[in-house]
Amino acid sequence: MLREFENYLLLELNRSSHTVEAYTLDLTQFEQWLTGPATEATTADIRAWLGSLAPAESPRTLRRKAQSLRAYYRWLLKKGLVNHNPAADLTLAKAPKRLPEFVKELEIEEIVNTYDPSDFISLRAHIVMLILYSTGLRQEELRTLTDADIDFSLGEAKVTGKRAKQRVVPLPPELLGEIARWQKVRDSRYPDLESPKPLICGRKGHISKKTLYNIVNNSLASSSAMKKSPHVLRHTFATSMLNGGAALDSVKEFLGHSSLSTTQIYTHLSFNELKKAYNAAHPRAAEKS
């Protein structure tokens, strides 16, 4: 049953593999907790399950688990396997909005510029950090990027994002040069990669999620950022763009957000620009000479 639901999410709703994986894990946990079949579960059962998880899980995680169940029972209802959705009327507390973590500009610049070009592992970490910081790509977008997606003549990359949506991201000349040099080293190390060649690779082709995460985590070990994940570099890119004067709409397109409201979470981070504007415009901002 769950496998059929997975295919429905992937093929009909076009959900990302990450979302499908999370939903499947939630539903598996719920079914293991139940004493009877999921088709006979009640709203009280779901509340009891979420209540049992509350001491150990964050409000955000609990909300996602509830969403997983809502989606699953909507599908069961559509197939005629249940006659109502027991998760439809759940009311959960709103998850607190957390400010995005980002790496300070001086720190990230030092990190991407400190590497050993003669060492393959060091060079791979360098190109991973440089691309994520320079483009704001999601971890999975970089992991699945291939040589065929990069157009050196136009200076751009075709990126496949969530729900298979594609967008074009400009690549500056310096980054293109770094990518070209990396490809030569990669091809020397792994001459038998199948085409289209994954841009960032390991021995067996596309680099794994775990390896990519570890590369970023280790690279950010010396930074002051609390979180040290690939997504932090996406936040860092967005923050740098806005602090540099980029329009919110432009940052939205770079990040591949479907809604401007998603991008607006970064606007409060450009406080330096806000402070400059205040000092320049308000008569009480600075002392008269």
Side-chain angles (χ1 to χ4, degrees):
M1 187 79 75
L2 281 182
R3 180 56 59 87
E4 190 178 347
F5 179 61
E6 286 180 40
N7 291 334
Y8 167 74
L9 292 174
L10 283 169
L11 303 178
E12 294 192 38
L13 297 189
N14 203 23
R15 294 291 189 265
S16 70
S17 58
H18 178 77
T19 297
V20 174
E21 184 179 337
Y23 276 28
T24 302
L25 178 60
D26 293 339
L27 294 168
T28 300
Q29 290 175 342
F30 179 59
E31 290 191 339
Q32 289 173 346
W33 180 86
L34 285 171
T35 55
T39 53
E40 296 178 8
T42 65
T43 302
D45 290 329
I46 297 174
R47 287 200 178 105
W49 178 61
L50 293 174
S52 71
L53 298 174
E57 300 288 1
S58 68
R60 189 179 300 274
T61 299
L62 293 176
R63 287 182 67 83
R64 194 210 59 228
K65 290 181 182 297
Q67 290 165 353
S68 300
L69 292 176
R70 285 194 187 106
Y72 184 51
Y73 281 105
R74 277 199 303 269
W75 177 72
L76 291 176
L77 192 60
K78 182 179 178 181
K79 291 180 68 66
L81 297 175
V82 296
N83 55 22
H84 74 290
N85 184 342
D89 296 327
L90 290 175
T91 301
L92 296 174
K94 288 186 177 180
K97 290 186 177 180
R98 294 177 295 184
L99 301 184
E101 282 273 348
F102 64 96
V103 185
K104 295 176 181 178
E105 186 174 343
L106 289 178
E107 290 181 338
I108 190 62
E109 288 292 341
E110 181 177 358
I111 288 169
V112 297
N113 289 320
T114 304
Y115 68 102
D116 182 357
S118 64
D119 179 76
F120 177 83
I121 299 301
S122 178
L123 182 60
R124 184 174 66 175
H126 165 70
I127 198 68
V128 163
M129 297 295 291
L130 188 60
I131 292 175
L132 289 175
Y133 172 51
S134 300
T135 63
L137 295 188
R138 298 179 178 93
Q139 172 180 289
E140 192 65 10
E141 291 171 348
L142 175 58
R143 205 180 69 81
T144 57
L145 200 66
T146 69
D147 286 1
D149 296 320
I150 298 173
D151 191 321
F152 284 90
S153 61
L154 295 178
E156 61 188 35
K158 183 177 66 177
V159 177
T160 302
K162 288 184 175 180
R163 302 187 185 181
K165 290 182 179 178
Q166 293 189 326
R167 67 185 187 278
V168 174
V169 174
L171 303 176
E174 182 179 356
L175 178 57
L176 286 169
E178 296 267 14
I179 289 174
R181 285 190 288 274
W182 156 252
Q183 287 172 322
K184 291 180 180 179
V185 173
R186 177 205 61 190
D187 291 346
S188 176
R189 176 93 169 201
Y190 302 120
D192 299 323
L193 288 173
E194 294 184 4
S195 294
K197 296 179 181 178
L199 181 61
I200 310 298
C201 67
R203 290 185 298 106
K204 298 180 180 180
H206 288 279
I207 193 171
S208 69
K209 293 179 182 179
K210 182 178 180 181
T211 300
L212 183 55
Y213 178 90
N214 288 340
I215 287 173
V216 175
N217 185 263
N218 292 335
S219 297
L220 293 178
S222 61
S223 76
S224 59
M226 295 295 291
K227 291 186 176 181
K228 306 180 192 300
S229 67
H231 212 68
V232 169
L233 294 178
R234 184 167 162 84
H235 296 327
T236 303
F237 165 83
T239 304
S240 298
M241 289 284 287
L242 289 170
N243 280 335
L248 195 62
D249 279 336
S250 299
V251 178
K252 170 183 173 292
E253 295 303 318
F254 259 104
L255 296 175
H257 285 160
S258 58
S259 170
L260 194 63
S261 62
T262 308
T263 317
Q264 285 174 332
I265 192 172
Y266 298 106
T267 56
H268 68 279
L269 296 176
S270 55
F271 180 75
N272 289 337
E273 290 301 310
L274 188 63
K275 190 174 180 181
K276 287 178 185 177
Y278 178 76
N279 288 336
H282 198 281
R284 304 288 297 180
E287 291 184 0
K288 303 290 185 181
S289 56

